[in-house]
Amino acid sequence: MTRKTGFGAAPGEATAGLGPRGWLTLITLCMAQFMIALDFSIVTVALPAIDRGLGFGDAADLQWVMTAFILPTAGFLLLFGRVSDLVGRRPLFILGLVVVTAFSLVAGLATAPWVLIAARAGQGVGSAMVGATALALLTASFPEGPRRDKALGVSGALLSLGFVVGTIAGGVITSGLSWRWTMLILVIMGVVVLAGAVALLDKDEERGRARLDVPGALLATTGLLALVYGISTVGEYGWGSLPALVPLIAAVVLLAGFLVVEGRQEAPLAPLSILRRPTVKWGGLTGFITFGMCGGTTVLLSLYMQEVLHWSPLATGVGFIVEGVAAMISGSLAARFISGLGSPAVLLTGLLVQGLGTAAMLLLPQDGDLVLLLVTSAALGFGHVLAVVSFIGTMTSGVPSEHTGLASGLAQTAQQVGSAVGVAVLAAVVAASTAPFAASPEAAALDGLRSGLLVAAAVTLAGVLVAVLFLRGARSDPAGTTAGGPRSGDEVAAS
């Protein structure tokens, strides 16, 4: 399929209708991804209340409420992405919804810290199943072109909005009801999405016949788990500490071993021909960057509102509404932009807007500037969703149907690991740059936050350079060709 290169070429394509069943299917899949994003962020504001309710007693132990969810969510995505290609995406998606819903109920009724942490780990495993399959089901349900671009636009906007809504909802629910409802609300959502999945998703789907690559699965999963665990300990122990260095070194060794093993397997977990595709390789890197720097910057903005401006947690959550609205607008326009310019160009534009918005945050003053805060956060949300939609479209475009689950798992892995790395790196920069002898605590906090924002802006703009150098001519179509014509396997590998 050939993509149009100008806005005036085919105006009807960008607004191609999805149809009633298409919209219901899209809503079901988007609600699933929204639920996973909500699950991640809704407890952040509720952590103090959870501590009081269950008596964790130690900040390091309390942090496991978040870490226990993040570890399996990021660590199992690649594995479940490949498993879905073999056993079917629909059954694994439904199983994941059942697991998330069941463990959300356990979490909401938990009476001891260990029960809540175990339930959060169970939610993470189910979330990895849902995350790896929801995107694959979406790309399989909507053919490559304007309909898929529109679907990805809605999905990307709701995914980003889930993080924002989670922050707001966590404050409202914890203040008005109980922290337990931050978990129980996921049970209600899970039942609704499960009903939609059973009724709407196509039961007749193509499945792979190859066996699961067990050595590759073990190396990839343990490597990713070690990587995310090492990163999650950085905030507590620092980059040079043994608790952080040992798992990070282990992650490098395990993931390097994974690449070696994959080159020798007849039916690898992740064929090197897929990993070497420029759209997968460089598209994944840009996705890693946009999620890492947006997630980290959002945390820095939250600290700015609370530690510098002294806003309440609820007011801080409300302060992100404009970012959420900008994300929704961006998602609604993404399909038209991609139809006219192509995914790589829109990816470049999204990263540029996100990077410039982050750079402008360096001007935020100690006494506050509401207009500047809202404008820069809106630019962050708008640019980020453009980048998310186009990076997913870039990574999944032209991938053979038997590998769409793998490509979706790789895209989700880039998102999850990128978010964990971004928050850890920017937090470390802020900690190292906070001036101990500043005129006031607010001035000290602002100095550190500005250093973190500077790094976030620089890394995001470096992502623009990656898109310019490696993705500008890499648009793939279903036949495996690019904008410049067909490419052989050797040519792709050489890229």
Side-chain angles (χ1 to χ4, degrees), residues 26 29-30 33 135 138 150-160 389:
L26 177 60
L29 296 173
C30 287
Q33 296 186 83
L135 182 58
L138 188 148
K150 175 183 272 189
L152 288 175
V154 175
S155 174
L158 288 178
L159 181 64
S160 296
V389 175

Side-chain angles (χ1 to χ4, degrees), residues 286 288-295 297 347-359 380 383-384 387 426 453-467:
T286 57
F288 178 90
I289 289 172
T290 187
F291 264 90
M293 294 304 100
C294 182
T297 300
L347 175 58
L348 188 155
T349 303
L351 287 169
L352 183 61
V353 172
Q354 179 182 330
L356 293 177
T358 306
L380 176 68
H384 174 61
L426 296 186
L453 291 170
L454 179 61
V455 171
V459 173
T460 305
L461 294 174
V464 175
L465 187 61
V466 170

Side-chain angles (χ1 to χ4, degrees), residues 46-94:
L47 286 176
I50 293 173
D51 188 19
R52 292 191 298 270
L54 296 182
F56 275 79
D58 185 85
D61 292 338
L62 183 62
Q63 189 59 35
W64 273 98
V65 176
M66 296 295 296
T67 304
F69 177 81
I70 296 171
L71 273 175
T73 301
F76 289 108
L77 273 168
L78 183 59
L79 171 62
F80 286 139
R82 185 55 177 153
V83 168
S84 73
D85 286 331
L86 303 178
V87 305
R89 292 147 207 158
R90 182 180 183 273
L92 191 62
F93 178 75
I94 291 174

Side-chain angles (χ1 to χ4, degrees), residues 357-365 372 376 446 449-455 457:
T358 306
M361 291 175 188
L362 293 168
L363 302 176
L364 289 170
L372 182 60
T376 54
L446 186 57
L449 292 173
R450 281 174 174 164
S451 297
L453 291 170
L454 179 61
V455 171

Side-chain angles (χ1 to χ4, degrees), residues 214-408:
V214 176
L218 290 174
L219 287 169
T221 303
T222 54
L224 288 170
L225 287 171
L227 176 63
V228 177
Y229 176 77
I231 291 167
S232 68
T233 61
V234 168
E236 182 180 357
Y237 299 104
W239 287 98
S241 64
L242 281 179
L245 281 177
V246 170
L248 289 175
I249 292 172
V252 172
V253 173
L254 289 166
L255 293 175
F258 167 72
L259 293 176
V260 172
V261 167
E262 294 306 273
R264 299 176 179 177
Q265 291 286 328
E266 291 184 6
L269 178 73
L272 296 184
S273 61
I274 298 295
L275 297 178
R276 288 170 176 164
R277 291 174 67 97
T279 49
V280 171
K281 180 170 54 177
W282 300 114
L285 178 58
T286 57
F288 178 90
I289 289 172
T290 187
F291 264 90
M293 294 304 100
C294 182
T297 300
T298 300
V299 171
L300 298 190
L301 278 181
S302 176
L303 293 174
Y304 172 74
M305 295 179 203
Q306 295 184 74
E307 296 186 4
V308 178
L309 303 183
H310 298 294
W311 289 9
S312 69
L314 181 56
T316 300
V318 174
F320 285 110
I321 286 180
V322 172
E323 180 182 336
V325 171
M328 290 294 293
I329 294 172
S330 178
S332 67
L333 296 175
R336 182 173 296 277
F337 290 158
I338 292 173
S339 178
L341 301 174
S343 290
V346 176
L347 175 58
L348 188 155
T349 303
L351 287 169
L352 183 61
V353 172
Q354 179 182 330
L356 293 177
T358 306
M361 291 175 188
L362 293 168
L363 302 176
L364 289 170
Q366 184 176 327
D367 56 353
D369 185 332
L370 184 60
V371 173
L372 182 60
L373 176 62
L374 296 180
V375 169
T376 54
S377 64
L380 176 68
F382 189 90
H384 174 61
V385 171
L386 278 186
V388 169
V389 175
S390 49
F391 116 78
I392 293 175
T394 298
M395 283 193 70
T396 58
S397 176
V399 174
S401 59
E402 66 269 21
H403 294 308
T404 54
L406 170 63
S408 300

Side-chain angles (χ1 to χ4, degrees), residues 4-62:
K4 301 295 184 286
T5 57
F7 279 104
E13 289 191 9
T15 57
L18 301 180
R21 185 179 181 87
W23 272 111
L24 289 173
T25 301
L26 177 60
I27 289 170
T28 298
L29 296 173
C30 287
M31 278 189 66
Q33 296 186 83
F34 180 85
M35 184 174 71
I36 300 308
L38 194 70
D39 198 359
F40 175 81
S41 61
I42 197 169
V43 299
T44 53
V45 179
L47 286 176
I50 293 173
D51 188 19
R52 292 191 298 270
L54 296 182
F56 275 79
D58 185 85
D61 292 338
L62 183 62

Side-chain angles (χ1 to χ4, degrees), residues 128-202:
M129 294 181 186
V130 173
T133 51
L135 182 58
L137 285 167
L138 188 148
T139 55
S141 299
F142 302 99
E144 198 169 326
R147 294 181 69 208
R148 180 184 293 183
D149 294 337
K150 175 183 272 189
L152 288 175
V154 175
S155 174
L158 288 178
L159 181 64
S160 296
L161 192 63
F163 290 99
V164 177
V165 171
T167 304
I168 301 171
V172 173
I173 291 172
T174 303
S175 301
L177 296 171
S178 163
W179 69 265
R180 296 184 183 278
W181 278 98
T182 62
M183 297 290 101
L184 296 177
I185 193 173
L186 296 169
V187 177
I188 299 171
M189 293 182 66
V191 171
V192 173
V193 177
L194 187 59
V198 172
L200 295 167
L201 296 182
D202 187 6

